[in-house]
């Protein structure tokens, strides 16, 4: 078995995990379990990034989405005890429409991928200076979006605490 087939097998396993965990995120009734499957899905996407030799994106995926967003969601769910209880109905009437839109999107994606016969792969490597430049631009040119996201995360955490305090009183 050569490296190409091993990478292919790992890709298909990660793809299967992404699909199953994504389905579990939208189909489970317990929102805490949904958040855990979301973490699994995000880790699997990071694995796909590693297979594509995009280690920076994989690390950013784990740090930002798994380390910050998903953990914040889990804390918010844990702080609001009613969210994890079975008393709250966690589905809506739009399941049929959502399934239809998902199937149309999936079929159009499959047809588009199937019609694309040439996949371009660039052998160009990224120099270490490019990573440094990317880091500097993130902290200088794109500092405002980072600050907005951090304020949003803090607001979500404060909102979860406020909801948890209202439930106790």
């Amino acid at each position: 078995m050569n490296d190409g087939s091993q990478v292919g097998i790992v890709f298909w396993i990660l793809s299967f995990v992404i699909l199953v965990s994504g389905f579990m995120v939208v189909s489970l009734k317990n929102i805490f379990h949904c958040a855990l499957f979301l973490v699994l899905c995000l880790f699997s996407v990071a694995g796909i990034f590693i297979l594509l030799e995009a280690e920076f994106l994989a690390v950013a995926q784990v740090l930002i989405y798994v380390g910050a967003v998903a953990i914040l969601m889990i804390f918010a769910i844990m702080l609001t005890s009613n969210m994890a209880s079975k008393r709250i109905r966690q589905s809506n009437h739009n399941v049929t429409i959502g399934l239809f839109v998902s199937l149309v999107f999936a079929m159009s994606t499959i047809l588009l991928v199937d019609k694309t016969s040439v996949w371009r792969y660039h052998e160009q490597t990224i120099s270490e200076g490019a990573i440094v430049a990317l880091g500097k631009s993130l902290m200088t040119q794109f500092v405002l979006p980072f600050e907005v996201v951090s304020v949003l995360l803090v607001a979500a955490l404060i909102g979860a605490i406020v909801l948890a305090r209202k439930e106790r009183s």
Side-chain angles (χ1 to χ4, degrees):
M1 184 180 292
N2 60 12
D3 288 341
S5 64
Q6 291 174 348
V7 170
I9 290 171
V10 172
F11 172 79
W12 286 110
I13 290 171
L14 288 173
S15 300
F16 180 75
V17 170
I18 290 170
L19 287 175
V20 170
S21 60
F23 178 75
M24 298 303 277
V25 167
V26 296
S27 64
L28 286 178
K29 294 190 185 268
N30 188 331
I31 195 164
F32 183 73
H33 294 156
C34 293
L36 292 178
F37 274 106
L38 178 65
V39 169
L40 177 65
C41 183
L42 294 174
F43 265 122
S44 301
V45 170
I48 294 284
F49 284 145
I50 288 174
L51 285 180
L52 294 173
E53 298 179 359
E55 291 86 6
F56 179 77
L57 287 177
V59 169
Q61 171 84 14
V62 170
L63 288 177
I64 295 171
Y65 289 105
V66 177
V69 175
I71 297 301
L72 184 63
M73 289 172 55
I74 290 172
F75 274 126
I77 292 167
M78 290 173 68
L79 286 173
T80 56
S81 61
N82 280 342
M83 293 293 287
S85 71
K86 294 181 179 180
R87 292 180 293 161
I88 296 177
R89 183 173 177 229
Q90 296 174 349
S91 63
N92 59 27
H93 306 317
N94 297 326
V95 172
T96 307
I97 295 171
L99 280 175
F100 176 73
V101 170
S102 298
L103 285 175
V104 168
F105 181 74
M107 292 305 295
S108 62
T109 303
I110 289 170
L111 288 175
L112 181 68
V113 168
D114 190 44
K115 296 279 183 193
T116 305
S117 61
V118 178
W119 291 94
R120 296 183 184 156
Y121 178 74
H122 296 281
E123 291 288 334
Q124 182 181 9
T125 59
I126 299 173
S127 66
E128 291 183 25
I131 301 296
V132 172
L134 177 65
K136 284 183 181 177
S137 67
L138 287 176
M139 291 299 141
T140 57
Q141 185 180 359
F142 297 105
V143 72
L144 182 62
F146 272 124
E147 292 300 322
V148 168
V149 168
S150 66
V151 168
L152 181 68
L153 292 175
V154 170
L157 185 60
I158 291 172
I161 291 171
V162 167
L163 288 175
R165 285 188 174 249
K166 281 184 180 178
E167 292 172 2
R168 289 184 186 160
S169 61

